[in-house]
Amino acid sequence: MPSLLALALALAARLSLLTLPLSTLAAPFNSARTVTPPTGPKVIIDNDWCITCFVTYLVPLDYGWDIIGILSDTSNSWSLQGALHAQASLEIGGLDSCIPVYSGADFPLLQTAHTFQTWELLHGVLPWEGVFAKENATLEALGNDPTSGDPKRVVEEAFEKPGYGYPNGSLATDTTAAGFLVEQVRKYPGEVVIYSGGALTNIALAVRMDPDFAKNTAGLYIMGGYIDRMIEQTSGDVLQADLVSDINLIIDPESAKIALTADFPNITIVGNVANVLTPDTAYLEDVFEVENPFSQLMLSYAPTFLPFWDETAAAIMVDPSIVLEEIEFYADVDTSFNSPYYGYIRPYQAALMPPGLRTVRYITKVNETALSDIIKHSIQYPKTCADLGK
């Protein structure tokens, strides 16, 4: 079993306690930018939000995509806590008045903290346990997001430390996250791309709510779905094992299976390749050469030991030219609770697959220089609602 101290230190490091108040910025947003209403595809961003997860919406905005809504899901922390992170980051960037945020389902379809921890007793501790790590008041007091316990529990310290503070505005409440997905796809059939950077619970619920939902989207992009990384979890420290574990799918295996077998026009999985680019201090300082609230947060909080996971998926979504290699196969998800691979993807060729599967596009290599530039530019020159003509 990994050291509990090691796990705690890794968790604390994810939310570095370096502080640099937003009020100290030497320069605000670049005021020379012109109004450029979105001309690209429509997209709904679903993620398990964190301090620096705003890059997943800055990237599509930088490419002229129209973000019609942001959803949160329960994965790294509870959905409500994540939604508040998303709202707070939108507010510091002047995007809160034109992009609504919906808090998603509190729980996965079947998984609970009890079942998750029972599974660990049977099959071993995951290096990153996400929302179902045992509740830890000490870490929460240091600014970590809540785990286990009450899904409606909010840890305000997690908003105080970054400097953006608890959000002033309110989350959207006119419908549920899954309801929003269904409504928007009905409103814009064939036009809405779905991005998933966390658990697939909201998306699975939408699939079940409306039998035409999946086929009427413009496709699904998933960050998650590591394949053949087991041997890497046997060497190095707990952090190394964390980098190749698949919490986005493991937190809700049943939803992952529903999504990956639904009739989306296309499904792109950004699995192993999401680990290719990890920022170092020099990169973060280079980003901060253009000072704004987002580049400041990156400099203060982006960990230099974790890859650009969600950011890579967002970049592949908006700019297919950075993809250098990809494969196609039929995908299933192990949903047997008794399996040590519960929540992992099982790839098949057509001749060997069980019935009911569909093909997915799996990215295996990207242009790392182009990826780095995409992320950097989106942070340095973020769009606002005024820029979007909204």
Side-chain angles (χ1 to χ4, degrees):
M1 178 180 295
S3 161
L4 292 178
L5 176 59
L7 287 170
L9 289 175
L11 180 59
R14 282 176 175 244
L15 293 175
S16 164
L17 298 182
L18 294 172
T19 56
L20 186 60
L22 295 178
S23 60
T24 65
L25 280 176
F29 293 114
N30 185 338
S31 58
R33 287 174 291 127
T34 57
V35 174
T36 54
T39 57
K42 300 181 187 300
V43 61
I44 296 174
I45 306 288
D46 188 329
N47 208 351
D48 50 352
W49 298 94
C50 63
I51 293 175
T52 60
C53 287
F54 49 77
V55 182
T56 58
Y57 61 73
L58 293 185
V59 166
L61 287 177
D62 201 32
Y63 271 69
W65 283 44
D66 184 8
I67 299 178
I68 56 178
I70 283 176
L71 314 180
S72 67
D73 58 72
T74 287
S75 186
N76 276 342
S77 183
W78 293 113
S79 182
L80 176 58
Q81 182 85 3
L84 293 171
H85 272 300
Q87 179 70 24
S89 68
L90 288 170
E91 289 178 6
I92 69 165
L95 288 161
D96 54 300
S97 65
C98 59
I99 302 178
V101 178
Y102 292 84
S103 181
D106 287 338
F107 286 98
L109 295 188
L110 296 180
Q111 192 83 272
T112 66
H114 173 71
T115 60
F116 182 92
Q117 292 161 15
T118 300
W119 180 89
E120 287 188 308
L121 289 174
L122 296 171
H123 302 293
V125 177
L126 287 178
W128 175 250
E129 298 169 305
V131 68
F132 292 140
K134 292 181 180 179
E135 193 171 341
N136 190 318
T138 300
L139 288 177
E140 290 177 9
L142 294 174
N144 285 86
D145 290 321
T147 57
S148 290
D150 180 4
K152 297 300 186 185
R153 181 168 51 92
V154 173
V155 175
E156 294 195 11
E157 287 82 358
F159 303 94
E160 295 169 3
K161 295 295 182 181
Y164 52 53
Y166 193 84
N168 296 312
S170 301
L171 303 177
T173 58
D174 55 299
T175 185
T176 63
F180 180 77
L181 284 164
V182 171
E183 289 174 5
Q184 295 303 307
V185 169
R186 286 177 177 173
K187 184 177 180 180
Y188 304 107
E191 297 183 45
V192 182
V193 176
I194 311 297
Y195 168 96
S196 174
L200 288 143
T201 312
N202 299 322
I203 295 164
L205 289 171
V207 169
R208 287 294 188 252
M209 287 170 64
D210 181 357
D212 294 326
F213 166 75
K215 68 180 180 183
N216 284 333
T217 70
L220 172 65
Y221 285 78
I222 295 172
M223 191 276 117
Y226 294 138
I227 294 177
D228 299 330
R229 307 305 292 262
M230 299 299 176
I231 194 68
E232 296 176 57
Q233 297 189 28
T234 66
S235 59
D237 56 14
V238 172
L239 175 60
Q240 175 58 36
D242 177 15
L243 299 182
V244 291
S245 62
D246 217 354
I247 194 66
N248 284 357
L249 272 63
I250 294 171
I251 210 75
D252 192 350
E254 291 75 22
S255 286
K257 184 180 181 76
I258 290 171
L260 285 173
T261 55
D263 55 351
F264 289 96
N266 54 80
I267 296 177
T268 300
I269 298 178
V270 182
N272 299 1
V273 77
N275 280 347
V276 300
L277 185 62
T278 300
D280 58 17
T281 301
Y283 178 83
L284 297 176
E285 290 175 346
D286 189 28
V287 169
F288 193 60
E289 286 295 313
V290 179
E291 299 182 24
N292 62 54
F294 292 122
S295 65
Q296 178 184 322
L297 284 173
M298 290 297 292
L299 180 64
S300 299
Y301 290 97
T304 54
F305 56 89
L306 295 179
F308 278 138
W309 286 316
D310 300 344
E311 298 89 340
T312 299
I316 288 170
M317 176 179 70
V318 302
D319 193 343
S321 71
I322 70 172
V323 175
L324 301 180
E325 294 179 9
E326 61 184 78
I327 58 176
E328 185 177 274
F329 54 75
Y330 291 86
D332 201 0
V333 178
D334 190 339
T335 53
S336 173
F337 184 77
N338 293 326
S339 170
Y341 305 112
Y342 183 44
Y344 282 87
I345 279 187
R346 173 68 165 91
Y348 290 92
Q349 59 172 283
L352 302 175
M353 70 173 186
L357 303 187
R358 47 89 36 89
T359 56
V360 300
R361 173 184 178 231
Y362 195 90
I363 309 302
T364 57
K365 186 176 181 180
V366 296
N367 183 326
E368 296 177 33
T369 300
L371 172 61
S372 175
D373 290 343
I374 289 171
I375 295 170
K376 175 183 172 181
H377 191 273
S378 73
I379 300 168
Q380 289 185 326
Y381 303 102
K383 297 293 192 294
T384 66
C385 289
D387 293 318
L388 302 175
K390 293 185 175 184

